Amino acid sequence: MTLMNDDDERDLAVNTAHSVIVQAPAGSGKTSLLVERYLGLLALVDAPEEILAVTFTRKAAAEMRERILEYLDPAFFSDQPYEKKLVEKARLIRDRVEDWQLLEYPQRLEIRTIDSLNMKIAQTM
């Protein structure tokens, strides 16, 4: 069995060619990883509703949505290397974001808790 280092695991998790489940302890950077993945997926879809991110808590879902919108905002600036990388990813999809009006309609980002996803499924039946 070959062990992967953290950078390899992160690269695998943000690779948009496949679905992933991220399991890690609190404070390990799960939200940042999922935000990076979500930004990458926004570059590939025809509409933001095609992406579904599911997390356990409303707090995590809200934080994820807030960070995504923060990076998509043209006025956002950071001198942190990792955040600069995310801002650059966001900049590449800025035209699509404007067309989708995500900053005006953030509810188009399908970031849900397991409970809210189950509720949505039940309501459609």
Side-chain angles (χ1 to χ4, degrees):
M1 178 162 125
T2 305
L3 295 176
M4 298 175 79
N5 69 33
D6 189 57
D7 289 339
D8 291 339
E9 292 282 347
R10 183 176 208 64
D11 289 344
L12 185 63
V14 298
N15 180 342
T16 57
H18 53 80
S19 296
V20 296
I21 294 174
V22 178
Q23 296 176 323
S28 61
K30 290 183 300 292
T31 302
S32 296
L33 183 140
L34 291 171
V35 166
E36 182 176 354
R37 182 174 173 82
Y38 203 100
L39 289 171
L41 288 168
L42 283 173
L44 303 174
V45 297
D46 293 324
E49 293 85 357
E50 293 178 39
I51 305 168
L52 173 63
V54 181
T55 188
F56 284 103
T57 66
R58 286 186 301 235
K59 180 181 175 187
E63 182 179 347
M64 210 175 139
R65 180 177 285 106
E66 181 181 312
R67 285 196 205 177
I68 290 167
L69 293 171
E70 185 176 61
Y71 294 129
L72 292 175
D73 186 338
F76 178 77
F77 172 80
S78 175
D79 58 1
Q80 300 297 315
Y82 183 71
E83 286 192 330
K84 282 183 177 183
K85 178 181 172 184
L86 294 182
V87 168
E88 195 55 41
K89 271 192 173 188
R91 192 165 286 128
L92 295 173
I93 59 170
R94 184 117 331 116
D95 290 341
R96 300 182 103 195
V97 169
E98 288 176 14
D99 288 345
W100 294 332
Q101 299 180 317
L102 285 181
L103 297 176
E104 294 83 5
Y105 301 102
Q107 66 274 18
R108 293 190 71 188
L109 299 175
E110 287 285 334
I111 303 170
R112 300 181 164 276
T113 63
I114 293 170
D115 290 343
S116 74
L117 175 61
N118 287 334
M119 177 81 72
K120 183 177 181 177
I121 292 168
Q123 288 173 343
T124 61
M125 300 180 112

